Amino acid sequence: MSSPDLSGYRVIAVHAHPDDEAIWTGGALANLARRGAHVTVVTCTLGEEGEVIGEPFQGLVADEADQLGGFRIRELQDSLAALNVNGAFLGGAGAFRDSGMMGSPAHENPRAFVNSGEHAVALLVEIFQELRPHLVITYGPDGGYGHPDHIRAHHITHAAAQQVAIPRILWAVNHLGETVAGVGNIETIPQGWSRPDEDYLRNAGVVDSDLAIDLAEPDFQAKARAMRAHATQIWFADGQSSVTNPDVALGSGPDPVFSLSNLLAQPLLRREHYQLGAGQPLSGSLLSDIDRDFVGEKQ
Ligand SMILES: [Zn+2]
């Protein structure tokens, strides 16, 4: 398969929290960067309201030392390095705070991203004006799984795109059928973990997507490394421990098995799915569409 040089092609991914860039879009971003595109991840919060996997850094959570946000900056930097992409925080590191889950008291913080109003849109407009992306990736109107900060990321992206023309906006989605099958294929669930039920998966999945990207091995490996960098948030059941998480989990199946802090086992699948949010229609393959549009434009 040809891999045209994408130097000069600019991509921005707008994400709510550190780790979303890896989980939702790591494979595509790694691929685009590997082929020379200029890729920037804009992260809107520090994920301060998250839980912590692993004993050593439990005390960082919002209800205790409230230091998780700063810790997650380092995790994000390592993830971005694994993907070989650039990073920026919307408004600078710490400008907006994680709003927590739906109904969380964290919404009351004036700095909560859900309260970011037109200011956040203006900040993103500045970034769009500076970088002039050909492609912007974010989530759909439900934020992918209903998290208020993800929904907000969707809204500011589309509001900013009203002010700066963006040729194409894609929404990262989970493909429900493939995820259900992948969960079903997990052979061994680590001790203390459980298998997510279909209601849980349905909340974060779509029945159909506009395009699927099959991750080439280097992109799949980069995505896995990026996810691993977020050790307070993601636990791979591969028998390895880390400074952040000295505990070891062992799972097995055709795909690598990981969990978030809910300890629900998930497969790391070799495909990512996207929907067309706005702009130029797709013929079914993001990578070949980009090649066609962009390489055609350069010629
Ligand atoms: Zn998130």
Side-chain angles (χ1 to χ4, degrees), residues 21-22 25-27 29-30 33-34 41 78-85 222-223 226:
E21 79 291 342
T25 56
L29 298 185
R34 186 161 61 82
V41 170
D78 291 346
S79 167
L80 297 175
L83 300 176
N84 198 22
V85 302
K223 175 175 184 163

Side-chain angles (χ1 to χ4, degrees), residues 5-296:
D5 175 18
L6 293 180
S7 59
Y9 189 80
R10 297 178 298 279
V11 181
I12 293 180
V14 181
H15 281 295
H17 313 108
D19 77 8
D20 291 316
E21 79 291 342
I23 297 170
W24 292 89
T25 56
L29 298 185
N31 180 280
L32 292 164
R34 186 161 61 82
R35 293 193 295 137
H38 184 277
V39 180
T40 303
V41 170
V42 175
T43 305
C44 298
T45 79
L46 304 184
E48 297 95 329
E49 294 291 322
E51 293 177 37
V52 170
I53 294 173
E55 183 55 32
F57 295 103
Q58 285 296 325
L60 300 185
V61 295
D63 287 345
E64 296 183 42
D66 196 17
Q67 297 285 319
L68 181 57
F71 195 88
R72 292 184 71 178
I73 290 176
R74 166 51 63 187
E75 294 185 334
L76 176 62
Q77 286 171 338
D78 291 346
S79 167
L80 297 175
L83 300 176
N84 198 22
V85 302
N86 307 289
F89 287 103
L90 187 70
F96 302 109
R97 189 179 164 93
D98 188 340
S99 308
M101 294 300 204
M102 199 74 78
S104 163
H107 283 34
E108 288 157 27
N109 189 313
R111 285 196 306 105
F113 186 46
V114 288
N115 303 321
S116 57
E118 283 303 308
H119 180 46
V121 177
L123 289 166
L124 192 56
V125 164
E126 273 176 35
I127 294 172
F128 284 179
Q129 282 172 337
E130 188 193 330
L131 296 175
R132 291 274 160 192
H134 299 83
L135 168 68
V136 170
I137 305 177
T138 188
Y139 324 105
D142 69 344
Y145 74 113
H147 192 295
D149 288 330
H150 285 234
I151 293 170
R152 183 81 189 123
H154 165 86
H155 280 138
I156 67 163
T157 300
H158 283 263
Q162 300 282 318
Q163 299 180 47
V164 182
I166 305 293
R168 183 181 278 139
I169 299 177
L170 292 180
W171 301 338
V173 293
N174 270 320
H175 189 284
L176 180 62
E178 290 180 9
T179 307
V180 168
V183 166
N185 287 338
I186 298 175
E187 284 148 19
T188 316
I189 303 279
Q191 210 168 9
W193 297 21
S194 47
R195 204 180 286 265
D197 62 25
E198 204 160 323
D199 280 348
Y200 174 83
L201 298 173
R202 199 180 305 278
N203 180 49
V206 298
V207 173
D208 211 0
S209 74
D210 293 330
L211 74 144
I213 300 176
D214 290 309
L215 304 185
E217 189 61 23
D219 304 326
F220 181 72
Q221 293 302 334
K223 175 175 184 163
R225 281 200 308 279
M227 288 175 65
R228 239 175 253 285
H230 294 284
T232 60
Q233 308 300 311
I234 300 170
W235 187 354
F236 276 91
D238 58 0
Q240 291 185 38
S241 63
S242 68
V243 171
T244 300
N245 182 12
D247 290 335
V248 164
L250 218 44
S252 68
D255 308 298
V257 178
F258 73 96
S259 79
L260 307 178
S261 61
N262 55 22
L263 301 189
L264 295 174
Q266 298 183 54
L268 179 56
L269 299 174
R270 288 171 184 270
R271 295 180 100 185
E272 288 179 355
H273 288 268
Y274 295 86
Q275 287 179 328
L276 180 66
Q280 298 156 356
L282 295 152
S283 64
S285 160
L286 171 68
L287 306 181
S288 64
D289 277 354
I290 286 175
D291 294 348
R292 189 195 60 223
D293 297 351
F294 182 65
V295 175

